[in-house]
Amino acid sequence: MRVTFTVNGRRQEADDVWEGESLLYVLRERMGLPGSKNACEQGECGSCTVRLDGVPVCSCLVAAGQVEGRDVVTVEGLADFARQRAERGGCAGGVCGTGLDEAKRWAAKPAAEEQAGGQSGGPGELSPIQQAFIDAGAVQCGFCTPGLLVAADELLERNDSPSDADIREALSGNLCRCTGYEKILDAVRLAAARGESRTAGQGA
Amino acid sequence: MDFLRPASWEEALAAKAEHPTAVPIAGGTDVMVEINFDHRRPEYLLDLNRIGDLDEWEVGERTVRLGASVPYTQIMENLRAELPGLALASHTVASPQIRNRGGVGGNLGTASPAGDAHPALLAAGCEVEVESLRGRRMIPIDDFYTGVKRNAMEPDELIRAVHLPKADGPQQFSKVGTRNAMVIAVCAFGIALHPGTRTVRTGIGSAAPTPVRARAAEEFLAAALEEGGFWESGQALPPSLAQQFAQLAAGACNPIDDVRGSAAYRRHAVGIMARRTLGWTWESYRGGAHGTKGGAQCA
Amino acid sequence: MAGVTRTPTHLTQGGKTRAGIGESTLRPDGTLKVTGEFAYSSDMWHEDMLWGHTLRSTVAHAEIRSIDTGEALATPGVYAVLTYDDLPTDVKNYGLEIQDTPVLAHGKVRHHGEPVALVAADHPETARRAAAKIKIDYRELPVVTDEASATAEGAPLVHENRTDHHIGHVPHPNIVHRQPIIRGDADEAAKRADVIVSGEYVFGMQDQAFLGPESGLAVPGEDGGVDLYVATQWLHSDLRQIAPVLGLPEEKVRMTLSGVGGAFGGREDLSMQIHACLLALRTGKPVKIVYNRFESFFGHVHRHPARLWYEHGATKDGKLTHMKCRIVLDGGAYASASPAVVGNASSLSVGPYVVEDVDIEALALYSNNPPCGAMRGFGAVQACFAYEAQMDKLAAKLGLDPVAFRQLNAMEQGTLLPTGQPVDSPAPVAELLRRVKAMPLPPEQQWRTAGAGADVRALPGGLSNTTHGEGVVRGIGYAVGIKNVGFSEGFDDYSTARVRMEVIGGEPVATVHTAMAEVGQGGITVHAQIARTELGVQQVTIHPADTQVGSAGSTSASRQTYVTGGAVKHSCEAVREKVLQKGRAKFGTYHPAWATAELLLEGGKVTTDGGEVLADIADVLEDEAIDLELEWRHRPTEAFDLRTGQGNGHVQYSFAAHRAVVEVDTELGLVKVIELACAQDVGKALNPLSVVGQIQGGTTQGLGVAVMEEIIVDPKTAKVRNPSFTDYLIPTILDTPTIPVDVLELADEHAPYGLRGIGEAPTLSSTPAVLAAIRNATGLELNKTPVRPEHLTGT
C-alpha cells in the first residue's frame, strides 16, 4: 500500500508498504530517517519514540497505515521543532505538532552552518535538550538517546521546571542500559535550568 | 495482509461484517507486538484510528460513556474524579508512550487476564457497548470475560464504548510488578465502595484464567459493614474484618505459576492488596473524600 | 562505499579548550548521536540490498534428521536459502578460544535458538515467511541442564569428540575447563578458626541487554571478497573467525565498525557476521541482518549462571583463617569465554581480602542451556556475590560491624592473591569502604509528601500503587570487590595504534586510527585527549575503526583505555620523537635548548619543559606527514598451574565499594533501592565525566541482577521462557536510585598515566550491596540473585 504523511514538516510518501510494517520501519527503512531506534519493537524501551500529532508514542507500535495524513516529528526534526516552538513562545495551550501552513514554509537548514559550541559534526543548531544531553554526559552508546530526547523535550514543553520524580515518571518508558540514568536526569535538569535562565534573561 | 481504513463507525462495522477475522487495531500496543514478533499474521487489519467518536467521552448525570480508544493518559488526566479506580489503573499501564495510545477497548478486546483496566472495570461495574451490523448490545462487564483471552463478543462485533457509573464512593487500584514502572501485572486488585447501594465491588487481575471478582469477599464485607453500622458511623474497620476480606479475596484467585510469579505469591499478594486498598478506600470514605482524590501520589 | 549510508566517519574535535587528559572533554560523536544521524549497525542501508533471516531451533537438544528447504527457496522474492550443506569450506565452526560453535547446525542442535538455516529475501517479511516453510525433522534428545545431569553416569555428551586443549585436564567431557587453586593448608588453618560459616549461593543468568540489536550489512566486493559493516567488540577477533569459514584470505574480508548500541560482553562472540557474509557472497547482493529483541536473546551469550559453595573461618578477633570454595558455572552449549570465566572466578574467589590458606575449585559446564560467555565483570561478579554474603555472615556471627570486619581483612598493596601473585599497585580496599560509609545517608521516608500522603514513585512498587508506606522497612548494606583488568593468564594482550601528524591549513593536526570498538564507553574521546596531551595539537581526527589497521584487542575486561589508550600514547610519543628529530635537524643550530632541554609539544609549538617556545610544529613539519603504526602491550602474564592454580596471571586490578540503601515492602516482597553510593579507585581519571558515567552504569547493571534480571530456562526442556523485554526486565529510571560516586585516584605506576581499567568493578559490588541491604531490612538469608518477591514473602 501507499502511505503519505508529514515527517518533520515535510510531506513524505512510501510505496509498496507491507501492511504489517510499523511506522518505525517506514521511517527507518523507507524514508531514510533511522534516528528513531529499533531496540525492542515491543513498546518496552521507548527508543523509537516520536511525536504523532504532537503526542509521544512508540513508533514501533503504530501501524504504518495508521499514520496516513498525520504529522510525525522524529529526533531528526527535534531541533527545528524546538526552535519553531520557541519562536511561537511555546504552545502550552494546544497540540505542538507542525501545522500544515508551517509545514509548507519549512526548510532544512544548510548543513554547513557552523556551530558555536565547539562541537562539530552535526548540521544546524541543537535544541536545548539535545545540547544538554551532550553537556551532561548523558550519551554513552546513544541508542536510547533519540527516544529519550523526544520524551524529555515533550516533558519540558508541558512542565518547564519538573521535579526529579516528574522527570523519572516522564522518562519511565525509556530504557537506558549504559548510564544508570543519573546523567540523563542531570541533562533534563540542565535543560530546564537553562530554559529558566533564558526566560529570566528576557525579563518574562 | 490487507489494511482496512474505515472513515466512520458504520464503515468499520461493514468491514468487520464482511471480514469477521479482521483484527481491529487502535493503539496498536498489543497487535503490533504480535506482528513485530511474528506471533500473528491477520488476514486483515482494521484501523480504528480514523473514527473520532472512539476517542471521545461524555460525562452524563450518572454515567460516563468512555470511547473505546480514549487513551489512558486522557483517563488519568480528565476522569480522575468520575472514574478514580480506572484512572489509577490507567496510571499503571506500561509507560507514558503506551498510555498515550492504548485505551480500554484494547484491554477488553484482548481480554488478557493481565490487562490493567479489568480490575477497575469489574470493581466499578460497567457495561461494554458492542455493535455489529446486526445491532448494538450492552454486555455487563461481569459477563464479558469468558475464558483465557476470550470474551463474549461475536466475530462481527466491535467495541464502541464502555459505560461506567460515576464513582459514588472511594475506589482504589493496586498492581504488583517486579519493576517500579513499565511492568506487566504479576497480579492486580481493584476495589470500589458504593455507599449509594451499600455494596462493595472488586476486581482481580492476573490471578485466574480471566479477570474475576472476589464475590465472597464483596459479600462478606458488604454484610459486615451493614451489620456493624459502619456506613453510618464511619468508624475505623477492625483489623480482623480487613484480614478476613483479604483472605476471601486471596481465595477468589485461581492462579498459575509462570515466569512472572508463582501461584502462591499471587494469592498472597492479592490478599495484601485487598487489605491495603480496603484500608485506603475506607479511610477516604471516613474522611469524606469519597475517593475523588485518586490515591496515587496523593498529597 | 558508494550507496552505503553514513558511517560514523572522521569525528573531529577541536576548538579553544586544551581538552587533554584529565579533563571532562565531551564526546566527539555526541552531536551525531543526539541528532539521530549517528549510523548504528542496524541503520546501514544499501541500494538493492536483501534482508537476511535466521531460522533457529525450537528445541534445545535434538538430532536433525532432515531439512527440506524446497518450498522456502521457491517463494517469490527469496534469493537464497542456506544450511550446513552450503558452507563453502571445511571450516564450519567458530569460537573465541575453542572452535566448537557451528556456523549452522550440523546434524544436531545443542541449545534452544541455535541457527539452523538462513534466508535472504527482498523484504524481511518475505524472508520470515520463507523461513517458516523450511521443514526440519528433529528427533529430540535428553537435555543436560546442571552439574548433576551433565556429569551423571551415562549423561549425553554435549560435544562428543572434543579435541580442545582443556579435555586433558577436565574430569568429565561435559566440563569445559576446571581450575583448582591450592595455597597453604585450608584444613589445618580451619582448626584455628573460632567461627566458621558456610553457604550455598545461586547466581541467575543475566543478559547484557544492550539496546542496539545484533545487526550489520555485508556487501560483496568485485574482487570476490566482502565488506562487512557491523557492531562488535573486537574487529580482528571477528575477522579471524569469519575469513576461514568463508574461504577468503583475511584481507578480502574488510570490516568496518558501525555504530555500536552497547555491548557489555555480548558482542565478543560472533552473531550475524558470518551469516550475512555467506548470504551476500551467495546472492552477489548486499545483505542486511537485524535481530529483533526476541532473537537477540538467542543471538548472543549471557552471563554464566553459577552455584557457589563457600566456607570461611575467622578468629574471634576478626581475622580470616581460611576459605574453601567450589564454583560451578554453567557455560551452556558452547565454550565461548568459559575458560577465562573459570580463571577469573577461581583466581578472584577470595575477593579483596587477605586469606593465606585456601582450597578453591572453579569449573564451567557444557550443558544444553543457552551458551554463556562474556559479560561485564565475568567470573568475578558471581564470586563477589558469594564472598560478600559470607563476609556479612561472619561479621554477624562475630558481632562485628560488617565494614570494620572487612577493613580488618582488607587486601593492601603487596598482598598475595591465592595464585601467589603479589598485588603490585595500590589496593585501597579499606579506604574505599571508609569513604563509602562516610557519605551522608539519604533522609528517611523520602516518599512522604508535604501533606500526610505518599508519593508512590518513591516507594517500592512505584507507579503500581502497592503501598503508601505500609510494610516498608529500610535496610543498609555494604560490599566491595576486586576485578582483574585486561586479558590474563598469558594471553598476548596487545593493541595497535596508528598516529599521523601533519599540517593542514597551517595548523598541526593529528589523526588517530585504531581498530578499537567504541561501544559507548568513550574510548574515542580519550584517544583524542591523549593525542592532544602528547602532541600539543588542538585538532584530532579519530579515524573510523576498521581492519585496515592492526588489532586493538577487545573492548572488554576494562582494558581499552589501558591498552589501546596505551598504544595511542605510545604511538604519539614515537611521532613526537620524530617531530623533535626533524626539529633538531632543521633548527638545532639556532638554539642550544634543542640539544640540551627536555622538549615538549604544546599548543602547536615545540617548547622546552620550562615553556620556552623553540618552533612552530607547522614549521618543523611543513608539508611532510609523520605516520606511525605501532603495537603496545602491557606487562606479560602467565598461565595458572592447572593443578595448584599458582602463577602471575593478572596484570592489574580494579576495586570498587558500594553502600546500598533500600526500602523493602516486606509484605509484598517488593524492593526500592533508595541510594547506591560507590567509591572506586580509578588510578587516574582521564575523563572524569566518562568515569562517573561508567561507574553509574555498571552500578545499575549490578542493581538489575540483584532485584529483577534473569533469563529463565526451563530445567526440563532447556528452553528459554522469557526472551523479551516484557519478561526480562532491566531497571527503568524509576528503579534506579541516586548514585553518588567518590572517585579515588591512586596511580598504578605500571599503567599509562597511572590509570586503572574501571568499567567492570562497579558491577561486582553493586549486587551484593543491594542483597546485603535487603537482608538487613528483612533478616532473611537470601542466597539467590535476583531476589524475587517470592523469596521475601516465603511464597
Side-chain angles (χ1 to χ4, degrees), chain B residues 36 38 41 92 172-175 177-181 184 259-262 265 268 272 275-276 280 297-298, chain C residues 125 128-129 454 461-468 470 665 667-668 670 726-727 729-730 735 789-790 793 795:
Chain B
N36 290 344
D38 206 0
R41 283 291 174 269
T92 74
Q172 273 290 348
F173 175 86
S174 187
K175 150 179 154 183
T178 46
R179 186 158 71 178
N180 286 316
I184 292 181
V259 291
R260 293 176 194 148
S262 70
Y265 175 73
H268 166 81
I272 303 286
R275 198 186 73 218
R276 288 182 182 174
W280 301 337
Q297 294 163 51
C298 58
Chain C
E125 176 65 1
R128 284 190 293 262
R129 296 281 63 78
L463 289 175
S464 297
N465 191 37
T466 46
T467 178
H468 296 171
E470 299 92 334
D665 178 341
E667 288 186 307
L668 282 175
L670 301 176
T726 338
D727 285 312
L729 302 180
I730 65 173
D735 299 284
E790 284 83 353
T793 55
T795 50

Side-chain angles (χ1 to χ4, degrees), chain A residues 3-4 11 16 55 60 62 65 71-72 75 99 104 118 121 126 129 134 137 141 143-144 156 166 185-186 203:
Chain A
V3 181
T4 307
R11 201 177 133 90
D16 299 324
V55 177
C60 71
V62 179
D71 185 86
V72 175
V75 70
K104 286 174 187 157
L126 299 177
I129 192 68
I134 296 175
C141 92
F143 211 77
C144 68
L156 294 175
D166 293 337
L185 277 157
D186 286 347

